[in-house]
Amino acid sequence: MAEAVVGQVVVKLSAALAKDGLTFGIKLLWKEASALNGLFSKIRDSKVELESMQAYLQEAERFKDTDRTTAIFVGEIRGLAFQIEDVVDEFTYKLEEDKHGGFAAKMKKRLKHIKTWRRLAAKLQEIDGKLQEAKQRKKDYSVGRFASVAISRNRGQALHFTRDEDLVGIEENRDSLLRWLTVGSTSGGDLEQTSSKVTTVWGMPGVGKTTLVAHVYSIVKVDFDAAVWITVSDSYRIEDLLRKIAAELSIGVANVEMRGLAESIHKYLQGKKYILVLDDVWNARLWTEIRNVFPTSNSTGRFVLTSRKHEVSLLATRESAIHLEPLQPHHSWVLFCKGAFWNDDDKECPLELQKLAWKFITKCQGLPIAITCIGRLLSGKLPTLVEWENVYRGLDSQLAKDVIPDVDMILKVSLEDLPYDLKNCFLHCALFPEDYGLKRKMIMRQWIAAGFIKEKEENRTLEEVAEGYLAELVNRSLLQVVESNHAGRLESYRMHDVIRLLALNKAKEECFGEVYNGSAAGEFSVDCARRISVQGENLEQLRQSGVTHLRALHVFEYSNVDLLKPILTSSNLLSILDLQGSRIKMLPCEVFSLFNLRYLGLRDTDIESLPEAVGRLQNLEVLDASGANLTYLPNSIIELKKLRYLYAYTVPGASEALQIFKVGGVKVPNGIQHLAGLHALECIKATPEFLCEVRALTELRTFTVCNVRSEQSADLSNAITKMSHLVHLGIAAAAENEVLRFEGLYLPPALSWLGLAGQLEKASMPQLLSSWSHLSSLTCLTLGFSNIDEETFSCLCMLHGLRSLGLMKAFEGKRLYFYAGSFPKLRFLHIWGAAQLNQVGIEKGAMQNLVMLWFMYCPELKFLPDGIEHLRALEKLRLEDTSEELIEKLRRQRDSDECNGDIMKINHIRNVTVELTRKGLFERIR
C-alpha cells in the first residue's frame, strides 16, 4: 500500500510543478523568485525519486510480510512520502493565498512567504537525506530474495481451502457443476462428446469458489484421461503457466521454449477427454492467451475458471456460469456448528450459547471462510458463555490482526492486485459505518475531492473515471451492489463486514485512516493517520490527540460539534469535512479557516443558514447541503469559483422521483453566473434575476429549479436551451394551478431524467410532448399536475427509451390505454392521484419489461387492468387507495377455494399488495 501513498504524492508533485511556469509568468520580487526557484528544484528532485521508487514498492508489498527489513523500509518510505505531501500541500496552500486581497495585502504575504519557500525547500532537502539513508540501510540488511518464494508458497496454501465439510448451502451449484462437467451426457442439453466447454465460478473473496470446484473436481476427474488443477498467480507468466500444466501431465519439457511447450501439451491431449481447472484467475485475457493450446477436434475438454472478477465469468459457454453469493442464515448456522463443534457427534450448539452463536454468524454475513474460521477459533475454547463472550468482544481485532490468517490472506491478495489509485478508493469506502449504503454520486465526489482520481484520457471526465473505479471494485467483488436505479445504473453499494474489518486494519497499518468510536480505553491517538471517521459520541479522547496531518474528517450522527473545534483548528490542510447526519444547527467558525477544503458535507443536518465566511473556502468544489434546512445562500457563495457541485435542499427521505414536487427552494444571491464551472445546481428558487443569470452556466449536468411562475417560463426555456450537457432536469411550479408555458423549450439530447411539476398548457401540450421524441437517452420521466388526457397520453408512448414513468396527479382522463409496442423498455410505472381513472387497457406486446406497477389514490378504479396477464415480467403490483370494491374483491377471491378470474390474471405476479389508508388496511394478496 505504500506505493498508493507515493503514487498520490507523485500526482501532487506534478500539479505543483505545473504551477512553476504560471508563477514565473507574473512579475516576482527578486528574492521571491530565487526562493521559489530553489523550492521548485527540490520538488522536481523529489518527483523523480518517488517515481523511480513507486514500481519497486508495488513489488515489495508482495513479500514485506515475510521480510522484516523490507517491511521496515516500506514503512519509512510511506512516512517520508507523507512528509513530502505535507510540504507540497502547504506550498500550494500558501501560493493560492497570495492571489487574494488588495495590492498591499498581496505584497505583504509575498514578502512573508519568502521565508516559507526557503523553509519548505530545506525540509525537502532534509527528507531526501533521510530517504537516502533508508535506501542504504535496506541495501545493507536486505534478505528479500528468499521472501518471494515464501510468500508465493504461503499464498497457495492459504487459498486452497477444500474441506468437504465446508460444502454447505451450495448443493444446487454443485449439482449444476457436476452436470456441466459430465462427459457424454445427453440430458439437459449438454454438449456433445467431442466438444469443449468453459465453466466459470465467480464471487467475492472467501465465498467458497475453490471449495465448490475442488469438491466437484475430486468426483469427476476419474472420468477423464487427464486432469489438471492450476492455481493462477495474479502476476502470472504464460510460459510458467504452461510449464505447470506440462508438469501436471508428466510431460518432460525441461529445456523446451514456450512454442514447444504449447505444441507438446496440444499433442498430448489430442484425442483425450481432459479437464483443466484454473483457480483464482485475475484477468480474462489469460484464457484468450492459452485457449488455442488445447485441442477441440477429436477431443473433449472441460475447463473450469474460478475468479473474484465478474469479467472472467463472461468467458463461460452459454449459461455455464455460477455466481456464488454469501450463505443464507440457516446454511450459515449449519456451517458454523460444523466448525465450532466438529468434535461432537451431533454437532449441535448448546441452548445457552445459541443467542451468542447467532451474533457471531450475523457478524460473518454469510461469508463461508469467515464462518469456518470463527468456528475453528471457538472450537478451541470451552463452550461456556463467559469464554464465548470474551471471544466476541475481541472479534473485530481478532479478524483484523491475522488471528484468522485465511481471511486476512484473501484480502491481502486482492489488495495487492489493485492499482494504487484504486487501493486508495477501496480503503476510503471502509471508513464508513458498518452496513452503510455507499451512494454512487457521494463516493465519486469525495474521491475526486481527496485527489484519488485523475483524468486518464482527454475525452473522459473525472466523474467518468471515478464511476469506472466503482464498477471495477464491483467487478473484483470488493463492493456489493445494493440497488440500481430505473435505468439499471448502479446507485448504492456496501462493503461486506468481514472485508471492511480487514480493510480497516490495512488502512490503520498504512496510516491511510482510522475509525474512532469513542469506546477505546485510555487516550486515543491517530498517530500518522490522514483520515478519521468518527462513529461515536464520546469525543473527549479524540480532541486531545494529535491530528495535525488530517486530510479528511468524517462525522456520522453527532451533535456536539464544539468538541471538534480543536481538531479543526489544528488541521489546516483538511480537504474533506463530512458532517452528514449530524444534528448541528450551525458550523463552527473554525471551518471557514480551512482554506484547503474541497468537500463540505452537510447532508441531512439541521443547519438553517451559512455565514458570509463561507466565501473564504476558495478551493471548495462540493457543497452538499441536501436535506438540510437552508432557505437561502449567502452573497459570498459567488466567490467560490472552483465550486462544481451545489446541492442546497431536497426532501429528507423522499425518493428521487418525488423530490421535485416539493414546492419551495433555496434563494441564491445575484451573481450566480460567476460560478461558470458548476456541474450541479439543485432546488434553487426561481427569481427574475436568477433566471437571467443561470443561462451562463452552460456546464451544468444537473439542474432543478422551484417556485417557477408562468411568466418566467420563457426565460427558463431560453436558459435550459443553452445547457447542452444537461442530463438531469427538474422544474417545479410555484403552485399546482400554475401553468408552465414551454412552447419554445428545447431539451438537450443527452437528457436522462426529467421531472415537471406544474400544469402544461392544453393547446400546446401535444406539440410539446411530441418535441421530446429526439430524447433517445431519456430513461426517467415524472410529471405532476400536467392535465394529460387520453389523447395527449399517446404522445408519451413515442418515448421508447423510458425505464420509469410517474404520473402524479397528472392524468385527468377516464381511460388509460397501452397499445402493443408501447414503452418497450419501461420497468416502473406509477399512477398517482388519477381521480377519474376507471379503466386501464394493456394490449399484448405493450410494456414487455415492466416489473413494477403502482396505482395510488385512484378511487374510481374498480377493475384490474384489462390485459394485465400479458405483463409476464411483472414482479410487483400495488393497489393503494383504489376503489374499495376492487380491493375487497381481491381479498375475497384470495381466500376462496375457487379459481377466480381476477386472481388467475395476476397469478404470475410474485408480489401483490392492497392498501386502504383510511381503514388502516394493508395486506399482501400474493
Side-chain angles (χ1 to χ4, degrees), residues 508-579:
K508 182 177 181 179
E509 174 189 325
E510 303 289 345
C511 297
F512 179 88
E514 228 175 305
V515 168
Y516 173 80
N517 57 22
S519 61
E523 185 174 328
F524 176 83
S525 176
V526 296
D527 295 324
C528 60
R530 313 296 267 190
R531 297 158 190 88
I532 297 179
S533 178
V534 180
Q535 297 170 23
E537 295 190 2
N538 179 14
L539 290 184
E540 289 293 343
Q541 296 165 336
L542 179 60
R543 70 172 181 168
Q544 297 170 9
S545 62
V547 289
T548 57
H549 301 299
L550 274 191
R551 292 304 188 276
L553 177 61
H554 302 266
V555 181
F556 296 91
E557 299 181 4
Y558 189 75
S559 56
N560 191 355
V561 76
D562 287 341
L563 292 177
L564 293 174
K565 289 183 178 182
I567 301 173
L568 297 174
T569 301
S570 61
S571 305
N572 59 352
L573 292 178
L574 202 69
S575 61
I576 294 178
L577 177 60
D578 190 6
L579 303 174

Side-chain angles (χ1 to χ4, degrees), residues 711-723:
E711 61 270 19
Q712 297 171 332
S713 301
D715 288 339
L716 181 57
S717 296
N718 291 336
I720 292 171
T721 300
K722 297 180 182 298
M723 300 174 185

Side-chain angles (χ1 to χ4, degrees), residues 45-253:
D45 292 343
S46 297
K47 180 174 181 287
V48 170
E49 181 70 41
L50 291 181
E51 282 177 332
S52 300
M53 192 167 290
Q54 192 175 356
Y56 163 78
L57 288 173
Q58 191 167 7
E59 292 303 314
E61 183 73 25
R62 300 179 186 279
F63 54 87
K64 69 181 178 70
D65 289 348
T66 58
D67 182 351
R68 182 62 180 161
T69 305
T70 299
I72 292 171
F73 176 65
V74 170
E76 285 185 291
I77 297 305
R78 183 192 312 115
L80 293 171
F82 279 145
Q83 291 182 38
I84 294 174
E85 183 182 36
D86 290 341
V87 170
V88 175
D89 282 348
E90 184 179 354
F91 161 68
T92 306
Y93 168 76
K94 297 292 186 183
L95 200 63
E96 289 285 334
E97 193 179 40
D98 281 351
K99 298 178 181 179
H100 305 285
F103 176 78
K106 289 180 181 178
M107 290 300 296
K108 185 176 180 180
K109 289 177 184 177
R110 287 166 60 181
L111 286 169
K112 180 181 176 182
H113 287 168
I114 291 173
K115 290 184 178 179
T116 301
W117 307 148
R118 289 173 177 165
R119 175 175 57 81
L120 294 180
K123 182 65 176 176
L124 287 179
Q125 180 71 36
E126 179 188 346
I127 294 170
D128 182 66
K130 292 179 180 178
L131 184 57
Q132 300 310 317
E133 291 173 5
K135 287 167 64 177
Q136 186 59 48
R137 283 194 298 273
K138 174 67 171 65
K139 184 178 179 180
D140 291 343
Y141 301 111
S142 177
V143 291
R145 66 182 184 275
F146 304 109
S148 59
V149 176
I151 189 66
S152 176
R153 179 172 65 250
N154 290 341
R155 179 186 303 169
Q157 292 170 350
L159 294 181
H160 207 272
F161 201 77
T162 57
R163 300 190 309 169
D164 288 350
E165 57 265 38
D166 293 335
L167 198 74
V168 174
I170 50 177
E171 293 83 357
E172 184 178 339
N173 290 319
R174 176 199 58 195
D175 295 342
S176 296
L177 193 55
L178 277 168
R179 184 173 69 254
W180 295 338
L181 297 182
T182 301
V183 175
S185 172
T186 58
S187 63
D190 279 335
L191 301 179
E192 295 297 324
Q193 176 89 7
T194 57
S195 62
S196 296
K197 186 171 190 174
V198 178
T199 297
T200 57
V201 180
W202 74 286
M204 68 182 295
V207 81
K209 303 180 291 294
T210 301
T211 301
L212 169 64
V213 175
H215 177 83
V216 173
Y217 177 76
S218 66
I219 295 173
V220 303
K221 67 180 181 179
V222 296
D223 298 327
F224 291 87
D225 301 320
V228 177
W229 178 296
I230 299 294
T231 299
V232 182
S233 166
D234 53 322
S235 55
Y236 72 91
R237 293 174 63 245
I238 291 295
E239 184 174 347
D240 294 340
L241 203 61
L242 293 180
R243 288 192 184 279
K244 288 182 181 179
I245 294 172
E248 289 289 314
L249 296 173
S250 300
I251 303 173
V253 289

Side-chain angles (χ1 to χ4, degrees), residues 711-777:
E711 61 270 19
Q712 297 171 332
S713 301
D715 288 339
L716 181 57
S717 296
N718 291 336
I720 292 171
T721 300
K722 297 180 182 298
M723 300 174 185
S724 58
H725 302 293
L726 210 57
V727 296
H728 184 124
L729 173 64
I731 301 173
E736 292 185 19
N737 59 357
E738 195 82 37
V739 179
L740 299 175
R741 306 181 188 280
F742 287 143
E743 297 85 348
L745 176 64
Y746 175 80
L747 298 176
L751 198 68
S752 172
W753 190 98
L754 175 61
L756 295 179
Q759 292 191 24
L760 299 178
E761 196 171 34
K762 275 283 187 182
S764 60
M765 195 186 307
Q767 180 184 354
L768 174 66
L769 300 185
S770 298
S771 71
W772 297 350
S773 60
H774 72 289
L775 301 177
S776 57
S777 298

Side-chain angles (χ1 to χ4, degrees), residues 539-722:
L539 290 184
E540 289 293 343
Q541 296 165 336
L542 179 60
R543 70 172 181 168
Q544 297 170 9
S545 62
V547 289
T548 57
H549 301 299
L550 274 191
R551 292 304 188 276
L553 177 61
H554 302 266
V555 181
F556 296 91
E557 299 181 4
Y558 189 75
S559 56
N560 191 355
V561 76
D562 287 341
L563 292 177
L564 293 174
K565 289 183 178 182
I567 301 173
L568 297 174
T569 301
S570 61
S571 305
N572 59 352
L573 292 178
L574 202 69
S575 61
I576 294 178
L577 177 60
D578 190 6
L579 303 174
Q580 61 171 305
S582 298
R583 303 268 61 96
I584 56 174
K585 292 190 175 181
M586 61 183 298
L587 284 172
C589 59
E590 287 80 3
V591 169
F592 307 110
S593 296
L594 300 174
F595 188 81
N596 198 47
L597 201 65
R598 262 79 174 165
Y599 184 103
L600 180 56
L602 307 176
R603 181 181 289 258
D604 297 330
T605 62
D606 293 333
I607 288 179
E608 298 175 349
S609 64
L610 293 173
E612 292 294 336
V614 75
R616 292 159 56 188
L617 303 177
Q618 288 294 305
N619 285 307
L620 198 65
E621 297 173 3
V622 180
L623 175 55
D624 185 355
S626 304
N629 295 326
L630 293 178
T631 56
Y632 70 94
L633 293 174
N635 293 325
S636 62
I637 202 78
I638 64 173
E639 298 172 14
L640 305 180
K641 300 300 191 296
K642 293 185 180 181
L643 201 62
R644 287 164 65 89
Y645 299 96
L646 177 53
Y647 301 106
Y649 183 80
T650 53
V651 184
S655 67
E656 184 181 27
L658 294 176
Q659 285 176 3
I660 188 58
F661 298 105
K662 176 70 177 181
V663 177
V666 175
K667 189 177 185 303
V668 297
N670 295 342
I672 196 71
Q673 77 269 21
H674 297 304
L675 303 183
L678 273 179
H679 280 208
L681 185 60
E682 281 205 336
C683 291
I684 304 303
K685 188 173 183 178
T687 64
E689 296 79 11
F690 170 75
L691 294 177
C692 182
E693 293 179 354
V694 75
R695 69 182 66 183
L697 305 183
T698 56
E699 292 298 314
L700 281 177
R701 271 71 173 171
T702 296
F703 178 47
T704 61
V705 58
C706 307
N707 290 83
V708 179
R709 300 198 173 276
S710 181
E711 61 270 19
Q712 297 171 332
S713 301
D715 288 339
L716 181 57
S717 296
N718 291 336
I720 292 171
T721 300
K722 297 180 182 298

Side-chain angles (χ1 to χ4, degrees), residues 283-486:
N283 198 314
R285 186 179 66 249
L286 166 68
W287 180 240
T288 63
E289 291 174 334
I290 68 169
R291 63 184 177 187
N292 291 334
V293 172
F294 307 100
T296 54
S297 60
N298 301 318
S299 303
T300 299
R302 293 292 183 262
F303 306 94
V304 184
L305 281 63
T306 74
S307 180
R308 59 194 73 188
K309 289 190 174 184
H310 177 246
E311 66 178 23
V312 174
S313 74
L314 302 178
L315 298 170
T317 304
R318 286 189 290 200
E319 302 298 321
S320 303
I322 293 174
H323 181 200
L324 276 188
E325 300 195 59
L327 298 176
Q328 295 296 319
H330 60 284
H331 289 135
S332 297
W333 176 263
V334 172
L335 183 58
F336 174 82
C337 290
K338 283 187 175 185
F341 307 103
W342 64 271
N343 55 352
D344 293 349
D345 292 338
D346 55 8
K347 293 182 174 54
E348 289 186 2
C349 180
L351 185 62
E352 66 273 15
L353 293 177
Q354 287 187 7
K355 185 176 180 180
L356 191 52
W358 275 114
K359 292 176 73 173
F360 280 107
I361 291 170
T362 301
K363 178 70 72 174
C364 296
Q365 291 192 325
L367 195 63
I369 195 169
I371 296 170
T372 303
C373 290
I374 289 175
R376 186 169 67 227
L377 180 67
L378 290 170
S379 69
K381 306 290 182 182
L382 290 174
T384 66
L385 202 58
V386 172
E387 283 281 330
W388 277 33
E389 283 177 342
N390 287 336
V391 173
Y392 185 79
R393 278 194 295 270
L395 182 58
D396 287 0
S397 60
Q398 288 169 335
L399 274 172
K401 290 180 179 176
D402 207 20
V403 174
I404 307 179
D406 295 329
V407 180
D408 185 68
M409 182 60 71
I410 279 188
L411 182 65
K412 181 183 181 342
V413 176
S414 290
L415 278 176
E416 286 173 0
D417 185 60
L418 289 173
Y420 79 84
D421 39 8
L422 258 183
K423 288 178 183 176
N424 287 325
C425 294
F426 171 67
L427 293 183
H428 175 266
C429 293
L431 296 178
F432 290 83
E434 186 176 304
D435 294 327
Y436 191 86
L438 303 169
K439 298 299 183 182
R440 174 176 57 88
K441 292 180 180 179
M442 179 197 66
I443 287 295
M444 286 166 45
R445 274 144 211 176
Q446 290 194 3
W447 286 351
I448 292 170
F452 299 156
I453 309 296
K454 59 182 185 295
E455 292 184 20
K456 295 193 171 183
E457 301 172 14
E458 290 184 1
N459 60 343
R460 295 186 72 197
T461 64
L462 291 172
E463 289 78 10
E464 289 169 337
V465 174
E467 190 161 5
Y469 283 6
L470 266 173
E472 183 60 20
L473 289 175
V474 172
N475 173 43
R476 292 168 180 261
S477 301
L478 292 174
L479 286 183
Q480 299 169 299
V481 177
V482 175
E483 63 175 328
S484 302
N485 66 10
H486 52 272

